[in-house]
Amino acid sequence: PHFVSEKLECRHPTASMPGVFQLAPQEISEEAQRACDLGLQAVLLFGIPATKDDQGSSAYDENGVVQRAVRAIKAKCPELVVITDVCLCEYMSHGHCGVTKMDGGHFHVLNDESVELLAQTALSHAAAGADLVAPSDMMDGRIGAIREMLDSNGFDQTGIMSYAAKFASVFYGPFREAAESPPQFGDRSSYQMDSANAAEALREVALDIDEGADIVLIKPALPYLDILWRVRERFAKPTGVYHVSGEYAMVKAAVEKGCIEERPAVLEIMTSLKRAGADLIITYWARELAEWTKE
Ligand code: PBG
């Protein structure tokens, strides 16, 4: 995963994820080259725009931060698979993953209005050259809408990696600081899933596959290994897992305190994800893992 900020001239460390930086737009192609040289097959891009509003309009701007980053990477390393996160939270002034409406002191996320903007966002990423778009918003029906939008605009070869089972999790905390996307009011529990509900996770995965997802993701990783296993066994689809920011930060903090050793800990965690069925792992340790594997 890479965070690219339109507001930066040079890289800026994140507070709770040692080794993870917000990058300036002009640094991203170099980072992609580094990933390529290490033998990594893909990068996942998150954008931090210069301006936010209540329609998330920088998310689907053809010259937005992610769209420019995709073009820069493809110009330098055309072989590297570029995956773009499709969500509105980084682009919305209120930090929610969709369009919101206040109603008698309560807020609602407007599902269908949000899906339209997400489909436009996905189209703009595909037009910039993304190989796979990765919707992480958890609105209903967005996979079908994105598939249709891509197909009808000539992007039938662009794949969809769907965050199919994304749980409302406390482990996204450090990411929200890195991506500057914490919700300004309320929480995400009306659109992300209840961690106690395994049946809903299976239903969500079935729906996304039906609507056209090429890869399904489970997220977070370690607290949901049972879900990963069940999904891989039941659907036999390419299944990925996102070892998220808070999971990374916990290990880093324990290492800094001298409680555990980093390399064996990371290798044990990654092995458990493979054992539970992951075909693909998204991790902030990707570069180190590539180096260790070479050694
Ligand atoms: C955007 C998104 C989030 C993550 C990936 N895409 C944050 C969230 O849903 O709040 C989290 C990734 C991580 O914690 O590493 N919706």
Side-chain angles (χ1 to χ4, degrees):
H2 288 295
F3 300 96
V4 191
S5 170
E6 208 171 13
K7 298 181 289 184
L8 293 180
E9 296 289 333
C10 65
R11 69 186 56 215
H12 182 74
T14 59
S16 44
M17 288 194 284
V20 177
F21 295 81
Q22 292 181 331
L23 300 173
Q26 60 270 28
E27 294 171 319
I28 187 64
S29 59
E30 250 166 69
E31 278 302 317
Q33 185 65 56
R34 233 178 111 199
C36 255
D37 295 344
L38 282 166
L40 292 172
Q41 297 184 33
V43 288
L44 172 61
L45 298 180
F46 294 95
I48 302 151
T51 55
K52 304 183 188 228
D53 58 33
D54 64 2
Q55 292 296 312
S57 36
S58 331
Y60 38 92
D61 176 347
E62 66 175 291
N63 284 314
V65 59
V66 166
Q67 292 82 351
R68 280 190 286 132
V70 174
R71 283 188 223 113
I73 295 172
K74 282 292 175 186
K76 186 143 184 169
C77 336
E79 295 302 306
L80 187 67
V81 173
V82 177
I83 313 174
T84 54
D85 183 73
V86 174
C87 196
L88 297 170
C89 58
E90 294 101 324
Y91 305 89
M92 289 286 196
S93 35
H94 48 60
H96 277 288
C97 303
V99 181
T100 60
K101 184 179 158 215
M102 289 311 278
D103 189 2
H106 297 285
F107 83 98
H108 297 279
V109 172
L110 302 176
N111 190 86
D112 297 2
E113 284 84 341
S114 306
V115 166
E116 232 164 84
L117 301 184
L118 291 159
Q120 277 183 44
T121 304
L123 176 61
S124 71
H125 292 176
D131 299 288
L132 285 159
V133 292
S136 68
D137 54 282
M138 291 302 281
M139 300 301 138
D140 293 330
R142 87 267 203 231
I143 301 302
I146 289 173
R147 187 68 272 160
E148 160 121 44
M149 178 70 105
L150 294 176
D151 289 354
S152 59
N153 284 279
F155 295 103
D156 53 306
Q157 295 300 307
T158 308
I160 302 179
M161 180 170 86
S162 157
Y163 289 75
K166 177 173 177 181
F167 289 89
S169 171
V170 73
F171 296 111
Y172 305 148
F175 171 97
R176 290 179 190 166
E177 175 245 315
E180 302 179 15
S181 65
Q184 302 301 305
F185 48 82
D187 61 31
R188 303 206 203 287
S189 59
S190 70
Y191 44 102
Q192 298 183 353
M193 289 175 4
D194 175 357
S195 66
N197 199 337
E200 186 185 31
L202 297 175
R203 285 199 299 274
E204 290 274 6
V205 171
L207 278 171
D208 282 8
I209 291 174
D210 203 41
E211 291 177 30
D214 300 289
I215 302 174
V216 289
L217 283 183
I218 313 302
K219 173 185 180 185
L222 287 187
Y224 300 94
L225 285 186
D226 58 323
I227 307 288
L228 172 59
W229 172 252
R230 277 192 251 185
V231 166
R232 187 66 184 78
E233 288 284 292
R234 178 172 305 194
F235 300 102
K237 263 280 191 187
T239 306
V241 65
Y242 198 144
H243 187 265
V244 302
S245 57
E247 300 182 87
Y248 175 86
M250 281 196 298
V251 174
K252 283 286 188 184
V255 169
E256 263 171 30
K257 281 195 129 196
C259 302
I260 57 171
E261 226 186 297
E262 184 166 11
R263 183 163 163 168
V266 175
L267 289 173
E268 189 171 332
I269 291 168
M270 297 301 147
T271 303
S272 78
L273 304 182
K274 286 300 289 180
R275 199 185 59 235
D279 299 298
L280 175 156
I281 298 172
I282 303 172
T283 166
Y284 299 99
W285 275 293
R287 276 190 299 257
E288 286 84 349
L289 279 163
E291 275 161 11
W292 297 338
T293 308
K294 275 194 180 149
E295 279 172 31

